[in-house]
């Protein structure tokens, strides 16, 4: 698994306005036409994937009424059209047929908003947030960025209809309540095969009017990832830097349960959250028995986390026991539990069955040590933001023998 | 960064308030000898100094102990986090069984039986006896009552006597229920409680078609079983074991389960009884003491035993079970598993005898052969002893009338453990239940006095013992108990994890 960026540069011509375009091959265009998009689309929304060879062989293709053309290589010969066209990608792997891209005039940057077949696609809702978590990987911005709602509604139309996981995230997506509800309803109508996972701090759900709103949508494959950082208000509120947040999130969780929503609890592992991790597992099981999954997640060393290094950093080797106590407490009581973002070399073999390859493909990194490691194909690896300062003293390559102990332990 | 210290109410010397809790000395001999429990079943083991500090408002904020007390709702901080939503959720989980009507429906299709067991719980009629079978009209009315319950999952259990002696009635009832269920769409489980002596190919064919489970009695190895369960041919054990094998061949290994009745004789041989269950490859064993019903009370001088003897037996048996489970045999003790669920999870097992409000009538109904309806199996046994005070009415009356009867009112008025004298201040009450029928049977008073209550002695004894194992047992003991909790293999529970 190699990290695949979500943007690259092209040479872009004849683009007069910002566009969201669905990349489509000629074969797909002939066989499926607009049906390649899950929702409503026009020919002008399509960007025809047109290698030089095809264009030179059949120049009349340029008269197709599509929104533009993408030459996935350096341009050969003249391009005889006034319609938008892109060529000479800096990284030819980034944009592929089926993807949906965003381009703006005067900017060579091409952003991939939807990648065909990936389970890491995301509807990004906003940079705003009502919390200010000490380890936030994407520090919030106090701006009006409602335009994300329109872009996401458009993006949903242009996606493939296939079965994939789709995330919704921010910032705090519930801040744009009506926009979020509209997007969830549209996901249900246009992308019924995609399971939707929304990341939210859950605080605004303390308003019980969400219960009727979410029940009305009744999305069959919608789940919520809600963070809980402690079994008590003082510790949780400190981590999220918002007094009262613990009480609000708890009431929010009960309201989500009343709306029959599928709920996952997420805990970021750091110096503040690990000392009472077993007690937190106990608290979740006793008070939130409707929770379907608990994710215990290694920290992403970017954003505010870097600023708060002293307060947050703990070597994962130093919380192994706490992690193990929490994981087996939940597992033995039938609560599905996973460990995210921790490389296999940093967890004991007996916990490897709970470890997932959780890091999104576009920011997943394997460092030099990993290259000869027997476990590399099964390991979460690191975030692309990984630095030496955030590296455990336990990072090492596992020999084939060592890894087979992990594999045996996972059975 | 926020400074929370300024939000504390500076004028109040007490920075926390107590929430309702109970406590009990466990006499374990070690430091943390006091069990603290909340109304909803959270618990902590603490030492004397901690209990004193807690009650004198002397626990220092921000300490580990303080956070434990907060997180488990033993205390709260006025003006800060309000724990009532969590406590409400815990109440709701623990009393979840109240949301549905009776789920267990026992059909006593006949009182006839080929056994002459001295302790028989239900009395019996001779094989050729007449006037001891459930009539067709009453059976039909009972099926109506069954579907009047709003429970989404219903268990239809056939009892006797020996129900296979009235198999035609069993067949009829199953067919009526299956027909009705085309429209009703409930999740229905049929169980026949039987010695398996009267099995036929025809019965097994019918059981296969309707996925009927069998529940039998196996009291231990042949000498013990046959001594407990006399038949003219003295081969009760052999015929039951043959029946077990036959059911398994035809319907699969798990189509039959077994219960043990413990006579005075049984209490001397826990290992032999357990070994018998291992040999017959059962995955659970039920080590229940003799009930004070049926013939058992009349012959009490020979058969009954003090509950202390049962508790000593239970401890030996459990130790042996824990040992063999660690050797790779999966055999759980079913009552222990129920208590473990009550202790280790926010839920109640929902088991009829461990409910508060009491399960008699609210969880289970018995349709007796004579057309009368009883709130529990035990209540109808009182009838056979000459007590008719505990019947709810006749099977021809609608369920709402039966559940609104004077008897139900009396049972429920003495059926809320949290409000009973002797129970209301017991630290174990969140994990226990109320059994007004047993207290009525033993003490002629549905409330009863705890000091003379064998129900209380039994459950206190078992709960204390299990709390002791959960607190002091080594990792492997924990693993066995946790494997019983979710019916997982011992090897799958590799580590016990946080003990809570």
């Amino acid at each position: 698994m190699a990290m695949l960026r979500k943007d690259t540069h092209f040479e872009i011509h004849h683009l007069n306005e910002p566009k969201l375009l669905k990349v489509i091959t000629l074969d797909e265009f002939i066989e499926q036409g607009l049906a390649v998009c899950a929702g409503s689309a026009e020919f002008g929304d399509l960007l025809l994937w047109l290698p030089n060879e095809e264009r030179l062989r059949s120049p009349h293709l340029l008269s197709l009424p599509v929104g533009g053309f993408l030459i996935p290589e350096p341009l050969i010969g003249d391009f005889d059209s006034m319609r938008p066209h892109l060529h000479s990608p800096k990284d030819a792997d980034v944009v592929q047929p089926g993807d949906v891209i965003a381009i703006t005039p005067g900017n060579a940057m091409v952003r991939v908003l939807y990648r065909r077949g990936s389970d890491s696609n995301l509807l990004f809702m906003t940079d705003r947030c009502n919390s200010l978590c000490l380890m936030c990987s994407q520090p919030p911005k106090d701006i009006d960025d409602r335009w994300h709602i329109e872009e996401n509604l458009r993006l949903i139309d242009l996606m493939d209809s296939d079965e994939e996981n789709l995330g919704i995230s921010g910032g705090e997506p519930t801040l744009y309540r009506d926009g979020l509800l509209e997007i969830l309803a549209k996901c249900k109508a246009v992308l019924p095969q995609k399971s939707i996972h929304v990341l939210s701090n859950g605080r605004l759900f303390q308003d019980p009017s969400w219960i009727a709103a979410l029940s009305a949508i009744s999305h069959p494959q919608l789940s919520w990832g809600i963070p809980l950082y402690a079994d008590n208000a003082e510790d949780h509120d400190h981590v999220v830097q918002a007094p009262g947040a613990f009480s609000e999130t708890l009431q929010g969780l009960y309201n989500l349960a009343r709306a029959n929503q599928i709920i996952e609890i997420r805990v970021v592992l750091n110096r503040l959250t690990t000392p009472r991790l077993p007690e937190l597992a106990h608290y979740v099981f006793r008070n939130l028995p409707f929770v379907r999954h608990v994710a215990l997640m290694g920290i992403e060393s970017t954003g505010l986390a870097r600023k708060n290094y002293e307060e947050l950093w703990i070597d994962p080797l130093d919380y192994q026991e706490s992690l193990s106590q929490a994981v087996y407490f939940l597992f033995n009581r039938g609560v599905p539990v996973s460990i995210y973002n921790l490389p296999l070399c940093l967890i004991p073999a007996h916990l490897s069955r709970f470890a997932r390859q959780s890091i999104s493909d576009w920011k997943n990194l394997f460092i030099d040590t990993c290259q000869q490691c027997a476990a590399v194909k099964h390991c979460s690896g690191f975030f692309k933001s990984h630095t030496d300062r955030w590296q455990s003293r336990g990072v090492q390559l596992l020999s084939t023998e060592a890894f087979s102990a992990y594999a045996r332990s996972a059975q | 960064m926020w400074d929370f210290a300024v939000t504390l109410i500076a004028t109040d010397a007490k920075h926390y308030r107590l929430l309702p809790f109970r406590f009990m000395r466990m006499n374990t001999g070690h430091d943390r000898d006091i069990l603290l429990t909340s109304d909803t079943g959270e618990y902590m083991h603490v030492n004397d100094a901690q209990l004193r500090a807690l009650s004198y408002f002397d626990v220092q904020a921000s300490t580990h102990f303080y956070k434990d007390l907060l997180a488990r709702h033993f205390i709260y901080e006025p003006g800060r986090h309000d724990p009532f939503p969590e406590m409400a959720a815990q109440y709701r989980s623990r009393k979840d069984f109240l949301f549905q009507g009776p789920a267990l429906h026992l059909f006593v299709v006949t009182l006839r039986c080929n056994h002459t067991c001295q302790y028989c719980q239900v009395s019996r009629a001779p094989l050729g006896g007449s006037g001891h079978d459930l009539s067709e009209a009453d059976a039909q009315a009972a099926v109506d009552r069954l579907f009047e319950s709003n429970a989404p999952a219903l268990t239809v259990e056939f009892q006797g006597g020996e129900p296979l002696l009235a198999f035609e009635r069993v067949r009829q009832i199953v067919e009526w229920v299956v027909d009705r269920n085309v429209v009703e769409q409930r999740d229905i489980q049929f169980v026949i409680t039987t010695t398996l002596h009267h099995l036929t190919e025809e019965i097994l064919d019918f059981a296969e078609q309707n996925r009927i489970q069998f529940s039998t009695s196996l009291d231990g190895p042949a000498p013990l079983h046959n001594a407990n369960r006399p038949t003219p041919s003295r081969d009760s054990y052999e015929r039951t074991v043959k029946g077990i094998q036959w059911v398994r061949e035809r319907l699969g290994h798990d189509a039959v389960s077994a219960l043990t009745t413990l006579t005075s004789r049984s209490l001397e041989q826990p290992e032999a009884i357990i070994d018998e269950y291992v040999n017959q490859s059962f995955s659970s064993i039920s080590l229940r003491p003799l009930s004070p019903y049926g013939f058992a009370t009349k012959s009490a001088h020979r058969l009954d035993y003090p509950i202390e003897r049962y508790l000593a037996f239970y401890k030996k048996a459990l130790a042996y079970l824990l040992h063999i489970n660690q050797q790779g045999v999966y055999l759980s003790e079913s009552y222990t598993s129920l208590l473990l669920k009550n202790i280790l999870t926010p839920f109640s097992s929902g088991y009829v005898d461990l409910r508060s409000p009491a399960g008699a009538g609210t969880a289970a109904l018995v349709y007796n052969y004579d057309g009368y309806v009883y709130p529990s199996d035990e209540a109808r046994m009182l009838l056979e002893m000459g007590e008719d005070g505990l019947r709810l009415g006749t099977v021809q009356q609608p369920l709402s009338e039966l559940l609104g009867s004077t008897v139900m009112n009396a049972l429920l008025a003495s059926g809320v453990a949290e409000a009973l004298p002797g129970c209301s201040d017991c630290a174990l009450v969140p994990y226990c239940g109320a059994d007004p029928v047993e207290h009525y049977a033993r003490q002629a008073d549905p409330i009863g006095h705890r000091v003379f209550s064998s129900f209380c002695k039994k459950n206190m004894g078992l709960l204390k013992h299990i709390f002791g194992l959960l607190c002091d047992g080594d990792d492997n003991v924990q693993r066995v108990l946790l494997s019983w909790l979710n019916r997982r293999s011992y090897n799958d529970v590799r580590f016990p994890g946080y003990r809570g």
Side-chain angles (χ1 to χ4, degrees), chain B residues 82-398:
Chain B
D82 169 9
F84 288 167
E86 290 119 278
M87 294 167 71
Q90 291 193 341
Y91 270 117
R92 195 191 160 92
S93 300
R94 191 156 291 272
K95 304 295 185 185
D96 193 45
F97 53 81
L98 291 174
F99 289 97
Q100 46 174 283
L104 176 60
H105 297 256
L106 296 120
F107 289 67
V108 182
V109 288
T110 180
L111 218 53
R112 289 178 288 136
C113 187
N114 60 319
H115 281 79
T116 50
C117 308
Q118 285 179 302
Y119 60 79
C120 179
Q121 298 202 16
V122 292
S123 179
R124 59 175 184 274
L127 268 182
S130 63
H132 290 105
D133 286 11
L134 182 68
S135 76
E136 188 171 331
D138 285 343
Q140 212 151 20
V143 171
D144 290 340
R145 301 296 85 79
L146 169 78
F147 283 109
E148 280 168 13
S149 169
N150 70 351
L154 297 166
T155 299
V156 176
E157 184 171 331
F158 297 100
Q159 288 244 3
E162 168 51 57
L164 293 186
L165 293 173
F167 178 68
E168 281 317 304
R169 187 70 73 236
V170 171
R171 176 201 291 277
Q172 232 175 4
I173 293 169
V174 170
E175 284 171 351
W176 287 331
V177 170
V178 168
D179 279 355
R180 276 283 290 274
N181 202 39
V182 173
V183 176
E184 294 276 355
Q185 291 289 308
R186 314 285 184 96
D187 178 9
I188 292 180
Q189 177 65 61
F190 296 104
V191 182
I192 302 179
T193 297
T194 166
T195 60
L196 299 172
H197 291 192
H198 307 275
L199 270 185
T200 62
E201 283 289 356
E202 183 200 357
I203 292 171
L204 286 168
D205 287 342
F206 186 73
E208 189 174 21
Q209 276 166 29
N210 295 286
R211 294 202 311 277
I212 296 174
Q213 293 278 120
F214 289 93
S215 170
T216 195
S217 291
L218 184 64
D219 288 356
L224 178 61
H225 183 98
N226 286 337
N228 279 352
R229 297 178 179 270
T231 58
S233 46
R234 295 187 187 142
D235 58 353
S236 177
Y237 170 88
E238 287 74 13
R239 290 173 72 183
T240 293
V241 167
K242 196 174 141 242
I244 291 168
Q245 286 160 358
W246 201 7
V247 172
R248 284 176 171 167
E249 275 165 32
R250 288 289 316 274
L251 308 179
H253 189 86
D254 297 327
V256 58
S257 58
L259 298 173
T260 322
T261 297
L262 299 173
T263 58
S264 180
R265 218 179 277 121
S266 315
L267 299 187
E268 288 149 23
Q269 32 190 319
E271 284 91 356
I273 297 171
I274 290 166
D275 286 342
E276 179 65 29
Y277 273 69
V278 175
N279 291 340
Q280 301 298 336
S281 57
F282 281 107
S283 63
S284 86
I285 184 167
S286 169
L287 299 173
R288 50 189 186 150
L290 208 54
S291 313
Y293 311 110
F295 286 168
T297 306
K298 287 181 192 165
S299 36
H301 55 289
R302 268 176 297 118
L303 293 166
D304 207 3
Y305 40 81
I307 203 72
E308 288 77 8
R309 262 195 80 200
Y310 166 76
L311 289 172
F313 161 86
Y314 171 84
K315 287 172 193 171
K316 254 193 238 166
L318 189 61
Y320 186 58
L321 280 169
L322 292 170
H323 171 73
I324 62 170
N325 273 267
Q326 290 172 43
Q327 315 301 310
V329 174
Y330 185 95
L331 182 62
S332 66
E333 200 286 309
S334 50
Y335 199 73
T336 309
S337 303
L338 297 168
L339 292 174
L340 284 169
K341 183 163 187 192
N342 286 0
I343 295 170
L344 292 176
T345 81
F347 307 105
S348 160
S349 64
Y351 183 66
V352 180
D353 294 351
L354 280 173
R355 284 188 182 199
S356 169
T362 63
L365 286 171
V366 181
Y367 309 109
N368 206 15
Y369 71 95
D370 55 8
Y372 287 106
V373 183
Y374 292 86
S376 72
D377 211 19
E378 289 75 15
R380 74 148 164 137
M381 293 165 191
L382 289 175
L383 171 82
E384 306 305 328
M385 292 164 65
E387 306 261 1
D388 57 359
L390 286 184
R391 65 168 64 136
L392 303 182
T394 81
V395 73
Q396 303 294 338
Q397 292 170 269

Side-chain angles (χ1 to χ4, degrees), chain A residues 138-273:
Chain A
Q138 284 172 283
K141 296 173 191 148
D142 190 12
I143 51 170
D144 184 344
D145 54 0
R146 265 161 223 281
W147 59 269
H148 282 295
I149 299 167
E150 276 312 311
E151 183 180 89
N152 285 325
L153 288 168
R154 199 68 208 108
L155 179 57
I156 289 169
D157 279 325
L158 300 185
M159 288 184 179
D160 295 353
S161 60
D162 298 8
E163 189 183 320
E164 289 157 353
N165 297 319
L166 179 62
I168 298 181
S169 179
E172 174 48 49
T174 58
L175 287 172
Y176 293 142
R177 176 189 157 116
D178 294 342
L180 177 62
L181 290 171
E182 193 180 348
I183 283 169
L184 292 175
K186 184 155 185 173
C187 283
K188 185 186 174 190
V190 175
L191 303 170
Q193 291 200 67
K194 291 204 196 321
S195 54
I196 311 294
H197 192 62
V198 192
L199 298 182
S200 162
N201 61 36
R203 293 173 59 191
L204 292 178
F205 295 130
Q206 71 161 326
D207 173 359
S209 69
W210 280 92
I211 302 171
L214 290 172
S215 303
I217 293 172
S218 182
H219 193 300
Q221 292 192 85
L222 167 62
S223 58
W224 301 86
I226 312 276
L228 200 62
Y229 295 128
D231 64 349
N232 65 86
E234 182 187 348
D235 291 347
H236 176 89
D237 289 359
H238 176 64
V239 173
V240 304
Q241 292 288 292
F246 182 75
S247 304
E248 290 167 15
T249 295
L250 258 294
Q251 290 181 48
L253 285 164
Y254 289 122
N255 282 337
L256 282 177
R258 290 183 180 106
N260 286 316
Q261 302 295 295
I262 299 168
I263 301 168
E264 170 193 71
I265 293 291
R266 308 192 131 209
V267 187
V268 176
L269 304 169
N270 59 48
R271 178 175 290 283
L272 297 171
T273 59

Side-chain angles (χ1 to χ4, degrees), chain B residues 373-445:
Chain B
V373 183
Y374 292 86
S376 72
D377 211 19
E378 289 75 15
R380 74 148 164 137
M381 293 165 191
L382 289 175
L383 171 82
E384 306 305 328
M385 292 164 65
E387 306 261 1
D388 57 359
L390 286 184
R391 65 168 64 136
L392 303 182
T394 81
V395 73
Q396 303 294 338
Q397 292 170 269
L399 185 63
S400 56
E401 221 171 289
L402 295 168
L403 293 182
S405 62
T406 327
V407 167
M408 265 320 287
N409 271 308
L411 288 176
L412 286 175
S414 33
V416 180
E418 289 86 346
L420 290 176
C423 296
S424 65
D425 53 3
C426 174
L428 299 175
V429 74
Y431 319 105
C432 200
D435 197 343
V437 176
E438 148 137 5
H439 287 105
Y440 180 72
R442 292 246 192 197
Q443 301 185 23
D445 169 10

Side-chain angles (χ1 to χ4, degrees), chain A residues 33 70 188 216 254 307 357 376:
Chain A
L70 184 151
K188 185 186 174 190
Y254 289 122
K307 194 177 121 197
Q357 293 180 289
V376 69

